[in-house]
Amino acid sequence: MSIEERDPVSGYLTTGHVWNGITELNSPVPRIVFAFMVVTHLYALVAWFLLPAWPLGQTFTKGLLGIDQKTAVAADIAAANADRAGWMNALATHDFDAIRADPDLMARALATAEPLFGQNCQVCHGANGIGGPGYPRLNDDIWVWGGTADEIATTLRVGINADHPDTHFAQMPAFGRDGLLTGAEISVLTDYVQTLGAGVMADDPSDGALLFQTNCAGCHGEDARGISGSGAPNLTDGDWLYGGDAANLRHGLVAGRQGQMPSWQSRLTEAEIRAMALYVEGLSGTAP
Ligand code: HEC
Ligand code: HEC
């Protein structure tokens, strides 16, 4: 194989390698390829000096141009965080009027709250707060615990029948199960409550009205319009958390009602709770 052989056609020496009868010529690298290799190698050499290139343990050669995308990205992230910390802090500390008066901050509050609502609230309160049996609508004007951002923020912090020490209590007694009323009295009250949409007449002498004033008015009010802060809802507005049909009313009177909403204080930050309160306040009255 080491015998020098010359190709009779091209005149080049052969390398002595033969594959399947094809002999390799010892011809020079084509000029264009050679030039390309020279240029790329030169570029690599120059780049080593100008750009970040060689790892040096914890650090690396920085390059004469000072181009460093890692620090550029870190700086961008730090700037974004500082910006976010600024308005998150404003959300947590400014009073609601000041936030409402600042369109930029208000826009950020709503943009923060909307996805949080989807993640945390929609499962019970429905998309856009449309509610469902046992879960109140948040897009109407009917509020048991108040519909201003301040009141909503409090409801979110303490929850309803939740494990927070200051939780809102909403306990409708189990009149039937606990023997406070007889089955006959519950039937009378079931009928009576269905007539309340028309309002309560103070001089109504019916059995239902008497039973109501004795057993129910203490929480729901003599006019049955609810007592704010007691958790007992208005029974005259035609809006029912659990349904206004006889079966649902009877069930509530027999077994009681204690809807539960968790306290969000440990699940959301103060800024998030306040953003959410503004968002829910904005849902109010958007029901079609
Ligand atoms: C100790 C206070 C208390 C008393 C007394 C009480 N309620 Fe209630 N009632 C509540 C509370 C609180 C709720 C709301 C429960 C909830 O949110 O889960 C409620 C809910 C209801 C509901 C359901 C409303 C809806 O929107 O679905 C009806 C109906 C009702 N009460 C009727 C009565 C009647 C009739 C009586 C008298 C027999 C009565 N309540 C006595 C506190 C009371
Ligand atoms: C596990 C189900 C559940 C989740 C999750 C939930 N809620 Fe509630 N929420 C309820 C129930 C049930 C009530 C009514 C409790 C009662 O019976 O009084 C309620 C009541 C409320 C009220 C009071 C309404 C009024 O009339 O005063 C507001 C405001 C509220 N929720 C907002 C939210 C927001 C905002 C979120 C998300 C951060 C959320 N809820 C998540 C179940 C839930």
Side-chain angles (χ1 to χ4, degrees):
M1 278 290 157
S2 59
I3 305 156
E4 282 206 346
E5 236 183 295
R6 195 171 287 280
D7 175 51
V9 180
S10 63
Y12 285 124
L13 287 174
T14 72
T15 60
H17 300 157
V18 180
W19 286 279
N20 295 337
I22 299 171
T23 310
E24 188 184 23
L25 299 181
N26 193 3
S27 55
V29 177
R31 203 162 288 191
I32 175 89
V33 174
F34 186 71
F36 185 73
M37 276 166 50
V38 169
V39 168
T40 51
H41 279 77
L42 282 177
Y43 174 78
L45 267 174
V46 173
W48 288 347
F49 286 102
L50 294 183
L51 301 174
W54 292 98
L56 302 172
Q58 296 288 6
T59 173
F60 51 90
T61 59
K62 300 275 162 26
L64 299 174
L65 291 184
I67 297 172
D68 181 352
Q69 292 182 343
K70 204 171 141 193
T71 38
V73 169
D76 283 355
I77 292 175
N81 279 343
D83 179 46
R84 189 177 151 81
W87 58 262
M88 280 304 236
N89 188 42
L91 277 183
T93 54
H94 290 189
D95 69 38
F96 283 112
D97 279 338
I99 301 173
R100 286 190 204 95
D102 179 343
D104 184 48
L105 192 52
M106 191 62 192
R108 289 184 192 274
L110 299 183
T112 303
E114 196 179 351
L116 285 175
F117 189 89
Q119 289 155 20
N120 296 290
C121 321
Q122 193 162 318
V123 55
C124 290
H125 289 284
N128 303 319
I130 58 166
Y135 300 108
R137 281 182 98 91
L138 300 178
N139 64 356
D140 60 15
D141 287 327
I142 297 170
W143 297 98
V144 172
W145 302 103
T148 66
D150 249 325
E151 291 164 322
I152 295 169
T154 301
T155 301
L156 293 178
R157 279 185 212 109
V158 302
I160 299 168
N161 297 326
D163 53 8
H164 191 283
D166 300 322
T167 190
H168 287 327
F169 272 110
Q171 305 280 345
M172 158 91 177
F175 286 93
R177 211 179 47 204
D178 292 347
L180 303 170
L181 292 172
T182 65
E185 288 169 326
I186 285 178
S187 294
V188 170
L189 277 166
T190 300
D191 292 344
Y192 178 71
V193 169
Q194 288 187 295
T195 67
L196 287 178
V200 178
M201 283 181 296
D203 54 354
D204 181 349
S206 72
D207 286 351
L210 294 175
L211 281 171
F212 186 86
Q213 294 303 334
T214 317
N215 296 284
C216 323
C219 292
H220 289 281
E222 286 172 17
D223 59 1
R225 292 185 191 283
I227 295 180
S228 86
S230 77
N234 185 345
L235 301 177
T236 69
D237 57 9
D239 177 75
W240 300 104
L241 181 53
Y242 299 101
D245 54 297
N248 268 305
L249 293 174
R250 173 182 294 278
H251 181 76
L253 286 166
V254 170
R257 297 288 191 191
Q258 293 88 30
Q260 289 191 346
M261 172 155 100
S263 151
W264 293 94
Q265 201 159 41
S266 58
R267 296 160 220 246
L268 299 175
T269 66
E270 178 62 13
E272 287 170 338
I273 285 179
R274 290 160 60 88
M276 183 66 80
L278 286 161
Y279 176 78
V280 172
E281 180 186 62
L283 288 180
S284 187
T286 60

